[in-house]
Amino acid sequence: MSRCGLFLRRAAAAGRACRALVAFTASRRPLRTSPQSRAFAKELCLGKIEKNGVFPFPEVSQDELNEINQLVKPVEKFFIEEVDPQKIDREGKIPDDTLEKLKSLGLFGMQIPEEYGGLGLSNTMYARLGETISLDGSITVTLTGHQAIGLKGIILVGTEEQKAKYLPKLASGEHIAAFCLTEPGSGSDAASIQTRATLSEDKKHYILNGCKVWITNGGLASIFTVFARTEVADSDGSVKDKITAFIVERDFGGITNGKPEDKLGLRGSNTCEVHFENTKVPIQNVLGEVGGGFKLAMNILNSGRFSMGSIVAGMIKKLIELTAEYACTRKQFNRKLSEFGLIQEKFALMAQKAYVMESMAYLTAGMLDQPGVPDCSIEAAMVKVFSSEGAWQCVSEALQILGGLGYMTDYPYERMLRDARILLIFEGTNEILRLFIALTGLRHAGRILTGKMNELKWGNVGVAMGIIGQKLRDALCQTVNMGLTGKLGLVHPSLEDSATKLEQNVYYFGRTVESLLHRFGKSIVDEQLVLKRVANILINMYGMTAVLSRASRSIRTGLRDHDQEILLANMFCVEAYFQNLFSLSQLEKNAPENLDKQTKKIAQQILEKRAYICAHPLDRMS
Amino acid sequence: MSRVRAVLLVRSLARGHAALLGAPFSQVPHLAPRSLHCNSAHRTSEKSVVPHPPEPGKKPVKVPVPYEDLFQLAPGGTRDKASFMKALQSFGQHNVRKRGHVDFIYFALQKMPEYGVERDLAAYNLLLDVFPKEVFRPRNFIHTLFFHYLLQQDCGVAVLHQMESNGVMPNKETEFLLLQIFGRQSYPMLKYMRMHLWFTRFLNINPFPVPRDLPQDAVELATLGLQHMEPDLSARVTVYQRPLPDDKTDPGDPTKPHIVGIQSPDQQEALARHNPARPLFVEGPFSLWLRNKCVYYHILRADLLPPEEQEVEEIPEEWNLYYPMKLDLDYARSGWDDYEFDIDEVEEGPVLAMCVAGAHDQETLAKWIQGLQETNPALARIPVVFRLAASTGELLTASGPEDLRQSQREEDDDHLQRQQQGQS
């Protein structure tokens, strides 16, 4: 096995040379192109499609592709032949020899730069490898807990010394990392973090005290990224509590674990409480700036999300294989299950979801791999929301195909269902991420539109007339053309209809955002139901763009089975288009489709009584 | 209005007619000289649904009440539903032709609370069953028009009225009985229909329902009252002092009134944040009516902070790890989308706790404050001022309870008048 690991390293080293070349050309790219491409999702909120970086679909070079394939093959083989997810789930623990092999495969250092002994994978390659490791949920979570969040802080803001000290051992898997942010009283509310680090009298140490809960790898880890309050002197001399990140080794002492939590799914991964009691942390171990923990935590959380798309896509592809085999062999009424329309529909759905989330994930990974530091946090969040919900839906549909068999613990399906449920919750619940997506987009649009809004508020006749004129033109069936279609369009003609639908959606979404900002202004932060719809539309539009871009590329380069891609892309675009139209009409003022008021009232009445308040249907007055 | 007058005219005519006819139509065979007029007087005075206890002040001339013997208890018997039913049955046995049933029914109505059956539908149905069937049904439209057997109809209405006052919903059996006795076109039937209509609409109209049978125990009643007032469901009720059981009370021992308090977590938090330089006030007693019982409560409250001392809650910059909590845009909701009414709201100081105590003196309430200090350590540092009203705020009349009763009776008559006008 160690030979295999060695082989991987060598493969990675081979790739290094060519990547250096790529990096060289990449570093020159900004000189040639117009100013750095603006974030795609933010431009959507203004009713524009930012084509740079999205069309054409990002590609990897042949060398990189070979490198990835060389990496993936042994990992895939290992997962298929030697990992027993059933056993891991039943025993609630990943066996030690499996962990050892994962380490020797180098999977604990996928994104750690090569100079520190990691594989130094780009985001795209990381996503590709994620597809393979998704075959077991517990291992996936252990690995992502280790590197997507646990040690990400060191890569992002660590000093040279910190990197040199910790990364090699983390890359080899000798040390496992954990990310300690959540507390009993603090989920997404950073202001209620209670863990405190106080500077010792000799000013060489911080004394860390507090309790962190639900820490992935909490029991295995020897390196912790811990967020705690520290007193920071402000520029004006006042002392304030601010959050600071620390690298804490288990050897610093005073660290204890609670017992591993018993969970619904991902039972093989280790999740437990971690207590810090007078742990002495040297000041060299402050991660980033003192008081800069909040931003760091946000960055780490934002950067880790995009990989869920490919991980889930990998899982669904596997699921399709398993259920297709069942549907093609099981017979009822002398017909195979696969002949029934209702079963076929489910396969189409699963394929569509997998296709869309794959496209979104690799598009985002490609954007992230662009030179510079592109801010793709909205796109990553959209991938996370779409893929987690798709996963839940697909696994549930797969269970429908399997009938009672899916419910039995002898088969892997119920485990997949249990494992998939957490995807909607962790790394920011989907509700919170929807708010993030919508608010970040609206903030961008709001800033740019400030001038126009103020003119409107002051009753500038010219601006108002302009808007009225625009509405008139919209009403008179003005066709929207954003340059996606046409003779030299970016989208292949067989997807032309879908591209026009996307353009229409984007255009009217821009109008809607304008009117929303005009109506609600900054108080839109409190209109969560409105924000949810805005986020849904954005996610759909991003999905449409991703599939259009990918399918166009597939057709033009002549990939195999691209006719299926056309079908899937068109199907998704039509569905998303009508969903968007409905959402847009709900966002109009006084729309009859909009039942927000009633929804709120019902909820308020129930929450006041804290119970379901309707009388029983069998109740009588006399 | 003219119609009302016509109705009243017809009524008096009917009465006079009956008086003229005299004894043969009398419903009271034992007391022939009292005749119908007397009878009707008896009716109006007994019309009140509230049973009057014997009045100690003025001693009325002892008039033997008819049918009292039917309600005489056998030695060792208790007044309960069974004995009431038995009394009703014995009327039927005692009087096959059901003579004097109107008087009997009025009398039984009056007796119902004593037997504890004033909320029992079966008892009312049995009482209605005393009426002879088919006799009072109007046979033609003229009967319907001119109050066929007015006395009996009034009596039927009185039964229904008492049901209404006690919140008893008539059922199909009641309807069937009324149909048999008075027919569809009659006042009792009309009353029944109205009850059926309005009861269903009013029964659950109170969004804060009070249980029908209130607890007898003072502590439980206090708990109920406090929970009734407190909007926060996570508020906790604490019994700071239990009253001494009756049998153990020593005459030398000082009395130990009950003290029950309620406080919600939010109130506790507000109390912990309270500035110790500003005093708190215990105020009361205030009254709370739970059906026919009154509970007096006290509140612990603070004064509203002057605007210069109110802390403006600022949104911390680093608060939400996931999404922006505020947008830094300089335009807010447009006037066209502001559906809030312009309401002048008077802000009051916060209420920090409530209690119901058996006594309204400072000594008792100080014990409550002491008890509160256990869960609210901050309270020990805050001065508490007792601002207790001398009286409970209850309506006290100089002449005692009789005037009250008198006024009540007038009210009842008034009510009757209105009811008749409403019917016509």
Side-chain angles (χ1 to χ4, degrees):
Chain A
M1 213 57 238
S2 67
R3 208 196 301 156
C4 177
L6 216 72
F7 172 71
L8 276 187
R9 296 270 154 69
R10 208 175 312 139
R16 202 180 307 162
C18 72
R19 201 147 348 103
L21 199 73
V22 172
F24 176 65
T25 47
S27 67
R28 270 180 22 198
R29 205 180 296 158
L31 292 177
R32 276 184 285 149
T33 50
S34 49
Q36 196 188 341
S37 67
R38 279 175 291 186
F40 175 78
K42 287 181 178 173
E43 289 301 300
L44 281 184
C45 286
L46 291 166
K48 292 176 194 156
I49 296 177
E50 171 65 45
K51 300 176 202 82
N52 215 342
V54 179
F55 290 100
F57 199 74
E59 288 193 25
V60 292
S61 64
Q62 188 61 45
D63 294 334
E64 270 181 296
L65 189 65
N66 292 343
E67 193 189 328
I68 297 177
N69 286 340
Q70 276 175 347
L71 276 175
V72 166
K73 243 177 238 161
V75 176
E76 201 163 16
K77 186 161 168 266
F78 166 69
F79 267 89
I80 290 172
E81 287 174 5
E82 293 179 48
V83 176
D84 182 359
Q86 200 101 14
K87 194 178 150 209
I88 292 176
D89 184 66
R90 209 171 39 236
E91 291 178 0
K93 192 174 179 296
I94 303 171
D96 288 337
D97 57 328
T98 311
L99 271 181
E100 284 308 312
K101 274 170 197 163
L102 287 171
K103 286 172 189 172
S104 63
L105 279 168
L107 293 179
F108 276 79
M110 285 190 270
Q111 283 204 293
I112 296 177
E114 284 152 39
E115 60 259 42
Y116 301 112
L119 296 179
L121 300 182
S122 65
N123 289 304
T124 311
M125 289 158 84
Y126 175 60
R128 175 66 189 89
L129 210 53
E131 246 179 77
T132 322
I133 62 171
S134 71
L135 296 177
D136 181 85
S138 299
I139 292 177
T140 313
V141 166
T142 307
L143 289 178
T144 49
H146 168 73
Q147 50 199 335
I149 50 177
L151 58 81
K152 195 70 169 240
I154 305 180
I155 298 179
L156 286 178
V157 297
T159 59
E160 276 309 312
E161 293 83 48
Q162 286 169 348
K163 285 184 181 171
K165 186 175 175 194
Y166 292 110
L167 286 183
K169 284 188 176 172
L170 288 168
S172 66
E174 191 180 336
H175 286 168
I176 294 178
F179 182 75
C180 304
L181 178 66
T182 311
E183 291 189 11
S186 156
S188 40
D189 179 0
S192 56
I193 285 182
Q194 296 293 326
T195 304
R196 183 165 279 283
T198 39
L199 202 57
S200 65
E201 286 185 358
D202 57 0
K203 304 219 167 182
K204 283 185 180 163
H205 288 95
Y206 277 97
I207 311 292
L208 193 66
N209 275 299
C211 166
K212 300 282 186 182
V213 293
W214 304 333
I215 305 304
T216 309
N217 296 344
L220 307 171
S222 17
I223 309 285
F224 300 88
T225 306
V226 185
F227 292 84
R229 298 194 151 268
T230 45
E231 285 182 350
V232 179
D234 243 6
S235 52
D236 56 346
S238 61
V239 176
K240 262 190 173 175
D241 264 1
K242 284 203 161 182
I243 294 162
T244 307
F246 298 92
I247 308 171
V248 182
E249 296 174 32
R250 194 179 277 276
D251 300 338
F252 288 166
I255 302 177
T256 45
N257 297 121
K259 70 169 177 48
E261 306 278 352
D262 200 10
K263 306 184 289 289
L264 174 72
L266 302 176
R267 299 174 64 89
S269 72
N270 178 290
T271 307
C272 62
E273 286 178 21
V274 180
H275 302 272
F276 299 94
E277 202 183 334
N278 293 326
T279 306
K280 275 173 98 178
V281 186
I283 51 170
Q284 293 87 349
N285 276 27
V286 170
L287 198 48
E289 291 169 33
V290 175
F294 183 81
K295 283 225 168 72
L296 178 62
M298 271 177 69
N299 279 341
I300 294 175
L301 290 170
N302 282 340
S303 67
R305 286 191 194 114
F306 79 94
S307 63
M308 192 184 283
S310 65
I311 291 174
V312 170
M315 190 194 81
I316 296 178
K317 285 194 249 177
K318 180 83 186 163
L319 194 62
I320 291 177
E321 281 173 28
L322 293 171
T323 44
E325 194 181 334
Y326 177 81
C328 294
T329 46
R330 172 146 171 114
K331 277 191 171 180
Q332 292 281 291
F333 317 114
N334 276 337
R335 285 166 81 191
K336 283 177 191 157
L337 276 194
S338 56
E339 292 169 36
F340 294 109
L342 285 176
I343 300 292
Q344 289 168 353
E345 185 195 19
K346 295 185 198 306
F347 281 101
L349 178 96
M350 287 199 282
Q352 186 211 58
K353 293 279 173 196
Y355 184 74
V356 179
M357 66 181 74
E358 216 174 41
S359 314
M360 285 168 85
Y362 282 98
L363 178 62
T364 315
M367 283 175 169
L368 282 167
D369 281 338
Q370 278 175 355
V373 191
D375 175 23
C376 293
S377 50
I378 307 186
E379 284 84 355
M382 294 200 280
V383 173
K384 193 261 168 182
V385 172
F386 186 88
S387 56
S388 57
E389 274 165 18
W392 180 243
Q393 212 178 340
C394 289
V395 178
S396 162
E397 291 291 352
L399 250 72
Q400 285 306 116
I401 297 171
L402 296 158
L405 195 125
Y407 203 64
M408 302 297 141
T409 45
D410 289 346
Y411 297 90
Y413 310 106
E414 58 88 31
R415 175 177 53 78
M416 287 171 125
L417 185 87
R418 285 188 283 117
D419 287 355
R421 191 61 187 83
I422 190 65
L423 300 176
L424 306 154
I425 299 168
F426 71 0
E427 295 199 29
T429 63
N430 284 3
E431 284 69 26
I432 274 186
L433 287 182
R434 283 206 163 89
L435 296 182
F436 166 73
I437 293 164
L439 282 173
T440 318
L442 288 173
R443 182 168 61 181
H444 176 76
R447 277 181 192 152
I448 289 184
L449 295 173
T450 301
K452 193 172 178 183
M453 292 296 151
N454 284 336
E455 296 276 314
L456 266 181
K457 293 265 146 95
W458 297 329
N460 188 320
V461 182
V463 177
M465 289 305 284
I467 287 177
I468 291 171
Q470 200 168 34
K471 289 217 163 144
L472 268 175
R473 256 175 286 142
D474 290 350
L476 295 171
C477 294
Q478 182 216 23
T479 49
V480 184
N481 188 357
M482 295 187 183
L484 289 187
T485 53
K487 210 171 181 186
L488 292 168
L490 297 161
V491 175
H492 191 267
S494 53
L495 300 164
E496 201 174 315
D497 277 352
S498 303
T500 326
K501 287 194 165 70
L502 171 66
E503 284 173 338
Q504 256 188 45
N505 271 172
V506 172
Y507 179 77
Y508 288 106
F509 179 65
R511 290 278 93 78
T512 309
V513 164
E514 236 172 71
S515 83
L516 284 178
L517 283 170
H518 182 232
R519 280 171 60 193
F520 298 112
K522 62 184 169 190
S523 67
I524 201 165
V525 279
D526 300 321
E527 304 285 334
Q528 296 201 334
L529 296 179
V530 170
L531 293 174
K532 180 196 83 179
R533 295 198 185 96
V534 170
N536 282 346
I537 297 172
L538 274 171
I539 294 171
N540 271 338
M541 291 195 307
Y542 187 54
M544 286 161 94
T545 318
V547 291
L548 286 175
S549 171
R550 176 181 169 190
S552 298
R553 172 183 167 267
S554 301
I555 302 164
R556 284 184 177 143
T557 53
L559 290 184
R560 82 189 139 77
D561 292 331
H562 61 246
D563 49 342
Q564 168 117 29
E565 292 192 33
I566 298 173
L567 283 173
L568 287 172
N570 279 331
M571 179 179 160
F572 174 74
C573 284
V574 172
E575 276 181 23
Y577 172 72
F578 285 110
Q579 280 172 15
N580 283 348
L581 284 190
F582 185 65
S583 298
L584 284 172
S585 64
Q586 280 184 318
L587 285 175
E588 269 167 33
K589 197 174 167 180
N590 300 331
E593 295 95 337
N594 188 329
L595 298 175
D596 291 357
K597 260 186 208 159
Q598 289 88 326
T599 316
K600 278 186 187 166
K601 205 167 174 184
I602 289 171
Q604 275 163 6
Q605 285 177 357
I606 285 173
L607 293 172
E608 207 172 284
K609 298 271 164 62
R610 301 189 187 175
Y612 172 75
I613 52 179
C614 298
H616 194 273
L618 300 181
D619 278 355
R620 286 175 59 101
M621 281 300 285
S622 65
Chain B
M1 202 59 224
S2 62
R3 205 157 158 221
V4 174
R5 214 175 300 132
V7 166
L8 288 175
L9 189 73
V10 170
R11 275 193 72 139
S12 62
L13 269 178
R15 224 174 260 173
H17 177 67
L20 277 177
L21 285 174
F25 269 67
S26 163
Q27 298 288 327
V28 195
H30 310 292
L31 302 166
R34 285 181 71 200
S35 98
L36 242 171
H37 195 73
C38 210
N39 200 352
S40 71
H42 175 74
R43 174 177 56 83
T44 44
S45 71
E46 301 301 340
K47 186 79 192 180
S48 143
V49 216
V50 183
H52 304 307
E55 296 167 13
K58 50 177 178 183
K59 281 200 171 171
V61 191
K62 181 82 178 165
V63 183
V65 186
Y67 313 116
E68 197 154 19
D69 50 333
L70 289 180
F71 286 97
Q72 293 279 305
L73 273 184
T78 49
R79 291 185 192 277
D80 58 358
K81 189 176 170 182
S83 57
F84 184 77
M85 301 291 187
K86 211 168 166 192
L88 292 192
Q89 278 158 6
S90 63
F91 172 76
Q93 289 158 5
H94 163 89
N95 196 340
V96 185
R97 293 183 206 288
K98 300 203 170 177
R99 245 183 229 136
H101 62 268
V102 170
D103 291 282
F104 174 74
I105 287 170
Y106 278 126
F107 189 69
L109 275 181
Q110 214 182 325
K111 284 278 178 194
M112 281 177 99
E114 280 176 40
Y115 285 82
V117 288
E118 78 272 27
R119 285 183 187 165
D120 195 323
L121 178 62
Y124 284 106
N125 281 343
L126 209 65
L127 193 58
L128 282 176
D129 203 22
V130 170
F131 279 111
K133 312 290 171 329
E134 305 291 339
V135 185
F136 310 131
R137 288 182 74 148
R139 308 252 158 85
N140 51 42
F141 78 97
I142 295 179
H143 282 170
T144 333
L145 217 56
F146 289 105
F147 307 102
H148 201 51
Y149 288 99
L150 182 75
L151 268 178
Q152 284 75 6
Q153 285 204 31
D154 266 4
C155 180
V157 170
V159 173
L160 289 167
H161 183 78
Q162 185 159 329
M163 285 169 83
E164 184 186 323
S165 314
N166 287 303
V168 182
M169 175 80 166
N171 63 357
K172 280 276 165 212
E173 195 189 336
T174 322
E175 187 187 5
F176 183 69
L177 280 168
L178 289 173
L179 271 181
Q180 269 196 322
I181 301 162
F182 299 111
R184 174 98 32 212
Q185 307 280 337
S186 63
Y187 285 108
M189 202 57 208
L190 195 62
K191 174 93 185 159
Y192 166 83
M193 302 284 232
R194 284 177 177 159
M195 278 167 81
H196 230 271
L197 177 73
W198 292 112
F199 262 39
T200 48
R201 276 152 186 73
F202 285 136
L203 191 62
N204 291 317
I205 205 164
N206 186 356
F208 310 103
V210 180
R212 188 161 174 164
D213 298 308
L214 291 171
Q216 293 301 314
D217 181 34
V219 174
E220 277 174 43
L221 188 70
T223 311
L224 183 76
L226 287 171
Q227 279 168 346
H228 193 71
M229 284 188 287
E230 178 63 54
D232 190 345
L233 291 181
S234 18
R236 256 207 3 253
V237 174
T238 320
V239 181
Y240 295 102
Q241 185 170 297
R242 286 194 178 278
L244 287 175
D246 283 342
D247 49 329
K248 279 184 194 167
T249 359
D250 205 344
D253 223 22
T255 50
K256 221 176 147 195
H258 62 273
I259 307 173
V260 186
I262 194 167
Q263 199 181 29
S264 70
D266 286 351
Q267 288 172 327
Q268 222 162 348
E269 210 175 290
L271 190 53
R273 274 204 314 267
H274 186 82
N275 178 8
R278 297 185 161 274
L280 296 177
F281 302 99
V282 173
E283 289 185 355
F286 305 108
S287 57
L288 168 75
W289 283 95
L290 296 165
R291 292 201 182 271
N292 54 357
K293 286 189 181 167
C294 188
V295 174
Y296 294 98
Y297 66 95
H298 297 260
I299 58 170
L300 177 71
R301 70 162 189 87
D303 266 339
L304 191 65
L305 280 178
E308 64 270 14
E309 274 187 44
Q310 279 174 5
E311 289 170 29
V312 185
E313 205 177 302
E314 59 178 42
I315 297 180
E317 202 179 315
E318 300 185 344
W319 196 2
N320 194 323
L321 278 165
Y322 292 94
Y323 62 92
M325 297 289 273
K326 59 174 181 184
L327 296 185
D328 43 356
L329 307 176
D330 53 357
Y331 42 96
R333 188 183 285 267
S334 80
W336 293 55
D337 259 273
D338 200 351
Y339 295 118
E340 297 287 306
F341 282 110
D342 188 18
I343 303 169
D344 264 339
E345 283 184 0
V346 180
E347 273 195 66
E348 287 187 322
V351 173
L352 299 168
M354 290 193 287
C355 93
V356 171
H360 311 312
D361 52 0
Q362 188 167 337
E363 196 189 336
T364 318
L365 293 169
K367 277 186 198 158
W368 168 48
I369 299 295
Q370 271 173 15
L372 268 178
Q373 281 173 7
E374 281 171 24
T375 43
N376 302 277
L379 192 55
R381 288 178 282 118
I382 308 172
V384 177
V385 179
F386 289 86
R387 279 203 225 156
L388 305 178
S391 76
T392 52
E394 205 172 0
L395 188 67
L396 289 177
T397 45
S399 48
E402 272 163 41
D403 287 277
L404 254 177
R405 208 166 292 138
Q406 191 60 42
S407 67
Q408 199 175 22
R409 193 172 305 170
E410 276 163 17
E411 240 171 56
D412 281 335
D413 286 348
D414 195 37
H415 176 77
L416 187 70
Q417 284 277 323
R418 251 179 288 138
Q419 200 183 355
Q420 283 167 352
Q421 286 180 13
Q423 279 178 359
S424 54

